[in-house]
């Protein structure tokens, strides 16, 4: 268990918990969904945690669980490999079932008031993970607020969780998912991992809105009476915030995090 241990100078290590990889699903050449089970980690849905893996035992990277906390110790992470990145490439390509990960320092993140106003979530790439955790947390409450999830990628195949989101929005009447792509067609380059994991469930071409997340979200007008959450790459977060503020969404209504 992750009890704090004393350092020589009287300071304390932050607690860490151990969790074992039980599933590694490589969905794209640069993206994997990783499932673990282990000690209960006391985070809140929408927070991120620090992760250490056996391939880089002295390094920690911050990831956002895609599930709310569960007493049986289930964790799920969505990881995108950053070109030239030290750890993300290893997580995507070299993680194996049985690997023991260290999990610690839950921090920051998003909060949704389940009794509050309508919710607008804007997720670019793996920015979907903390939103997904929040949606599943809201699903446990008696009357979740109407929630609009804008989820974006460069092209349709970047929407790596299209099947899960399609099923989720079918199950949850208070959830509307709006898929957004910058290009309506996929690049010619074959992604063998995409070809292997293709399923028939997902968004149809008619469901897709064309543009950047910033443009599409901005075109929906000011969100003056909403809880607004934005998560994705620092560039996507910056452009979406600019657009939201410019189109009249009050800054104090917006929570955001760059990955
Ligand atoms: C609160 C928080 C939550 C996060 N949650 C997730 C998550 O759920 N899933 C996930 O995949 N990642 C997440 N990240 C990002 C993650 O922590 C790492 O920063 C990322 O995986 C890169 O690590 P690395 O070791 O591969 O790259 P590093 O070796 O640390 O960096 C290599 C190079 O890549 C650049 N770089 C680092 N990050 C990015 C980026 N996002 N875009 C472009 N260039 C970059 C660096 O500047 C550096 O030049 C989160 C980050 C934060 C702060």
């Amino acid at each position: 268990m992750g009890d704090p241990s004393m350092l020589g100078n009287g300071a304390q290590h932050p607690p860490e918990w151990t969790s074992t990889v039980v599933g590694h699903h490589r969905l794209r050449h640069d993206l994997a969904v990783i499932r673990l089970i282990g000690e209960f980690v006391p985070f809140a849905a929408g927070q991120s945690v620090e992760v250490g893996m056996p391939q880089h035992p002295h390094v920690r990277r911050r990831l956002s669980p895609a599930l709310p906390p569960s007493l049986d110790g289930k964790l799920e992470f969505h990881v995108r490999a950053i070109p030239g990145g030290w750890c993300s490439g290893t997580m995507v390509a070299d993680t194996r079932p049985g690997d023991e990960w260290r999990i610690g320092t839950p921090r920051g993140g998003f909060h949704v008031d389940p009794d509050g106003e309508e919710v607008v979530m804007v997720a670019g790439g793996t920015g979907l993970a903390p939103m997904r955790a929040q949606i599943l947390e809201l699903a446990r409450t008696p009357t979740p607020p109407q929630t609009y999830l804008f989820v974006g990628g460069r092209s349709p195949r970047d929407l790596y969780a299209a099947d899960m989101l399609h099923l989720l929005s079918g199950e949850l009447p208070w959830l509307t998912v709006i898929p957004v792509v910058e290009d309506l067609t996929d690049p010619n380059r074959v992604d063998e991992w995409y070809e292997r994991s293709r399923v028939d469930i997902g968004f149809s071409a008619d469901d897709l809105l064309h543009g950047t997340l910033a443009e599409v979200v901005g075109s929906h007008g000011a969100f003056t009476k909403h809880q607004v959450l934005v998560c994705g790459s620092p560039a996507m977060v910056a452009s979406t915030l600019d657009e939201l503020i410019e189109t009249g969404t009050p800054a104090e209504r917006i929570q955001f995090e760059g990955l």
Side-chain angles (χ1 to χ4, degrees):
M1 165 59 196
D3 280 341
S5 61
M6 298 298 281
L7 295 172
N9 60 6
Q12 292 189 327
H13 283 296
E16 282 196 332
W17 297 269
T18 302
S19 204
T20 305
V21 175
V22 293
H24 174 259
H25 308 283
R26 190 156 173 188
L27 301 183
R28 301 291 182 268
H29 73 284
D30 61 349
L31 189 133
V33 169
I34 300 169
R35 299 201 171 95
L36 302 97
I37 193 150
E39 292 178 307
F40 170 69
V41 182
F43 66 98
Q47 280 193 311
S48 61
V49 294
E50 262 182 4
V51 169
M53 77 206 89
Q55 292 85 351
H56 301 291
H58 304 298
V59 183
R60 296 288 181 271
R61 286 292 180 268
R62 200 148 271 284
L63 296 178
S64 306
L67 293 174
S70 84
L71 286 174
D72 57 3
K74 283 198 213 85
L75 289 169
E76 177 180 308
F77 296 108
H78 301 177
V79 183
R80 183 177 296 283
I82 300 299
W86 185 246
C87 295
S88 57
T90 307
M91 287 182 194
V92 169
D94 300 326
T95 296
R96 298 285 174 263
D99 284 358
E100 283 205 342
W101 283 19
R102 304 289 294 156
I103 314 288
T105 327
R107 203 169 61 201
F110 299 100
H111 173 73
V112 176
D113 177 358
D115 303 315
E117 290 145 324
E118 292 189 347
V119 181
V120 173
M121 298 178 169
V122 188
T126 56
L128 175 62
M131 306 300 181
R132 205 280 205 108
Q134 291 278 359
I135 289 166
L136 296 182
E137 185 84 342
L138 284 173
R140 296 169 170 172
T141 64
T143 51
Q146 192 64 43
T147 298
Y148 302 91
L149 170 65
F150 292 86
V151 58
R154 268 189 218 290
S155 74
R157 78 179 181 204
D158 278 338
L159 303 173
Y160 64 90
D163 50 346
M164 178 272 285
L165 292 172
H166 188 77
L167 294 171
L168 208 55
S169 59
E171 288 293 311
L172 304 174
W174 47 270
L175 176 67
T176 304
V177 179
I178 303 137
V180 178
V181 289
E182 291 173 40
D183 292 315
L184 288 168
T185 51
D186 285 323
N188 283 329
R189 181 177 43 79
V190 173
D191 182 337
E192 62 168 302
W193 301 99
Y194 170 63
E195 299 301 332
R196 281 187 210 181
S197 59
R198 253 177 200 260
V199 287
D200 291 339
I201 307 161
F203 305 116
S204 75
D206 293 342
D207 296 329
L208 301 174
L209 297 193
H210 188 197
T212 64
L213 276 168
E215 289 163 354
V216 170
V217 170
S219 73
H220 279 69
F223 299 107
T224 53
K225 296 192 171 63
H226 298 74
Q227 311 181 62
V228 183
L229 284 61
V230 182
C231 190
S233 71
M236 169 262 159
V237 170
S239 56
T240 304
L241 290 185
D242 284 349
E243 195 70 32
L244 282 167
I245 304 282
E246 207 165 292
T247 50
T249 299
E252 62 274 15
R253 294 204 158 259
I254 308 173
Q255 302 172 49
F256 63 93
E257 193 143 67
L259 305 181

